[in-house]
Amino acid sequence: MNIFILFLVTLVMAGYYMFSAPSTRVEHHETEYAVTRADMRSIAECTASVHVGEMNETPFDDVCVTQNKIQTSRICLNARGAVTKCEIVRGKKPDASYIVTAAAPIEPSDYNAMLEIMEEYYPDAPTFGIYNNGAIMSGATGTPVEIAKNLVGEMKLEPGQLIYVTQYEMPDVEIPFATPDAGDITCPGGTIKTYRFGRWQCIGINTKTTCAGDTIWDSDTSQCVPDDTRRPLCAERQTAVMVDDVWECIDPFSDKTCPTGMTARLNYTTLEWECVTEPVIGPDEKKCESTRYSAVYGPLGATLRIPTTSCTDCEEPITDTNTCITYCIPAAAKVNDPKCYPGGATSCRGSNRAFYFGFPTRAYAARVPDVAGRNIPLDDTHSQNRRFNCLDCGDRGIDTKRSFPPYIAVCNE
C-alpha cells in the first residue's frame, strides 16, 4: 500500500513539473512574440506593396489588402493647403501632390512590434509608420513626422493606423513637336543641310576665318569687316577710308563743292560732308611774306596726301611768326561746342571721368603751350583723333596728379 501511494505521488509531481517548468513557459512566450512580429510584418509588407503599386500605376491585388482594409489615394493641395483636383488646369499644376496609403488600426499593444518592423525593414522610409495625434511614428527616425491636416481629414485617419505618405511632382503635359520634313531642299557644294530656327538651311562647311588687308573676321556676321585698330591717323581734314580692303587717307570727296571762303569737312557725328568756314590765317605781315603749312601725320606705311590746312571742331589755327608755319592746336573753350564733343562738357564730370585731347604725336603736343613739360599718354586707352574725349576710369578713379583736363586724363593704377 505504501508503495502504491509513493508511486502516485511521484506521478503527480512529474506531471506538475512537466507542465509548469520554466523552459516550457519561455518557449510559449517566444512563440507568441514571433507570431506577433510575423503578423505585423505581413501588414507592413502588404501596405508597402499597395503604396508602391499606386506610385507605379500598377494596382496591387492580393487577399491581404481586403483582410487589413488597406486603402490608397492620390490627394492634391493648393497654395492654401485645401484639397483640390489632381489635374493640370490651364497649364497650372497643384502646389502639392501626395499618395497616401492606410491600413486598419492595430492594437496599442502591437505598437512596439510594428515599430521594430519599421526600424528593421524600412529604415529609409520616415513617412511610413503608425498614425497618432496628427503625426507619423516611424522606427526609421524615432521622431514623429507631422502631416497636413487636410490629408488626415480626406483619408479619415484614426490613431493606430499604419500609413505610408509620399509627396510627388506631377509630370508636365507633354507637348508634341513635329520636326518638319527636309522637303526638296538641295544645298550647293561646300554647304551642309542643317535645321536651324525652325527651318532647314544650308550653311557653309568651311567657314572663312582669315581676311586680307586691313580687315578682320567678325564671327557675329560671318564676314570680313574693317579692322579699326589699323585705321590710320589722317592729316588735317583728311579722313580714313577702305580702298580694296586697305585703309587710306583721302581728301574730301570731289562731289562736295563749297562756295568761296568755305571748305568741305566730314562731320564725324553724322558722317556727312558739310561746308564750313575756312579758318582765317593771319600771319605776321612784318615777318612773314608767305605761309607754309605743317607736316601731315600718319603711321608708318600709310598712304598720305598733302592737303590744305583745316583744323577740327576742337582745334584752332595758330601761326608761328618766326617760321611762318600755321599749326592746329587744341582749343579748350570748344569742349562746350556740340560739334566738338556731342555730349557737352556737363556729361563728363565726377571723380571717375575727365576730358582729354587726342594728341596724335608728341611733336604735335610740343607746340601746345598749355601742356609744355607734361607727360602726354599715347597708348591704346587714349585716342589720337585730335578731338576732346571723355575718359571713364570706373572704380579706379582719375589720377589728379598726372591729369590736366581738358588736355590730359590718366586713371589711377
Side-chain angles (χ1 to χ4, degrees), residues 54-346:
E54 180 64 23
M55 293 174 61
N56 297 327
E57 297 183 352
T58 55
F60 178 73
D61 187 11
D62 189 87
V63 66
C64 68
V65 177
T66 304
Q67 289 176 344
N68 298 290
K69 301 179 181 179
I70 301 174
Q71 297 180 347
T72 186
S73 179
R74 292 175 182 260
I75 304 175
C76 297
L77 305 179
N78 58 21
R80 297 187 302 272
V83 177
T84 185
K85 293 183 179 180
C86 292
E87 299 176 356
I88 299 177
V89 181
R90 293 190 294 272
K92 178 175 176 56
K93 298 185 293 185
D95 291 87
S97 307
Y98 299 91
I99 296 177
V100 183
T101 305
I106 61 175
E107 297 295 332
S109 59
D110 296 331
Y111 283 6
N112 288 335
M114 181 60 78
L115 293 176
E116 289 179 0
I117 295 297
M118 296 290 103
E119 182 179 5
E120 181 176 354
Y121 296 101
Y122 303 97
D124 299 326
T127 57
F128 187 20
I130 302 171
Y131 172 73
N132 189 29
N133 294 328
I136 301 174
M137 297 188 302
S138 174
T141 61
T143 303
V145 179
E146 294 185 2
I147 60 176
K149 293 182 179 180
N150 286 333
L151 295 182
V152 177
E154 188 70 12
M155 291 294 294
K156 299 179 181 179
L157 298 179
E158 301 177 8
Q161 283 188 275
L162 182 66
I163 64 173
Y164 201 156
V165 180
T166 298
Q167 184 174 2
Y168 70 97
E169 180 71 19
M170 185 175 292
D172 296 325
V173 177
E174 294 185 2
I175 302 176
F177 292 95
T179 303
D181 187 12
D184 298 330
I185 183 173
T186 302
C187 295
T191 63
I192 186 172
K193 182 168 57 179
T194 305
Y195 187 75
R196 299 175 61 195
F197 310 113
R199 63 188 179 91
W200 289 98
Q201 300 178 3
C202 297
I203 63 172
I205 299 176
N206 298 319
T207 305
K208 183 178 180 181
T209 57
T210 57
C211 302
D214 294 332
T215 59
I216 189 172
W217 179 255
D218 186 351
S219 58
D220 294 333
T221 60
S222 298
Q223 62 183 355
C224 292
V225 297
D227 185 359
D228 288 334
T229 62
R230 299 184 182 182
R231 181 192 296 267
L233 180 64
C234 297
E236 297 179 343
R237 66 175 181 176
Q238 287 187 323
T239 185
V241 296
M242 292 290 294
V243 179
D244 297 330
D245 295 334
V246 178
W247 286 112
E248 285 194 15
C249 292
I250 65 172
D251 289 322
F253 299 125
S254 57
D255 58 353
K256 186 67 175 179
T257 304
C258 295
T260 304
M262 301 186 74
T263 183
R265 186 173 60 198
L266 180 65
N267 186 324
Y268 287 91
T269 303
T270 63
L271 295 180
E272 296 179 354
W273 289 96
E274 59 187 12
C275 292
V276 297
T277 303
E278 178 71 13
V280 179
I281 302 174
D284 187 350
E285 296 180 356
K286 295 180 180 180
K287 296 183 180 180
C288 297
E289 296 180 356
S290 62
T291 301
R292 292 181 296 163
Y293 301 111
S294 60
V296 296
Y297 293 94
L300 186 63
T303 302
L304 304 176
R305 299 175 184 149
I306 304 299
T308 58
T309 302
S310 179
C311 300
T312 67
D313 290 323
C314 296
E315 296 175 325
E316 61 182 357
I318 61 170
T319 302
D320 188 335
T321 56
N322 293 321
T323 62
C324 299
I325 298 177
T326 299
Y327 302 98
C328 292
I329 65 171
K334 292 187 177 183
V335 74
N336 295 304
D337 188 348
K339 293 182 179 180
C340 173
Y341 187 75
T346 58

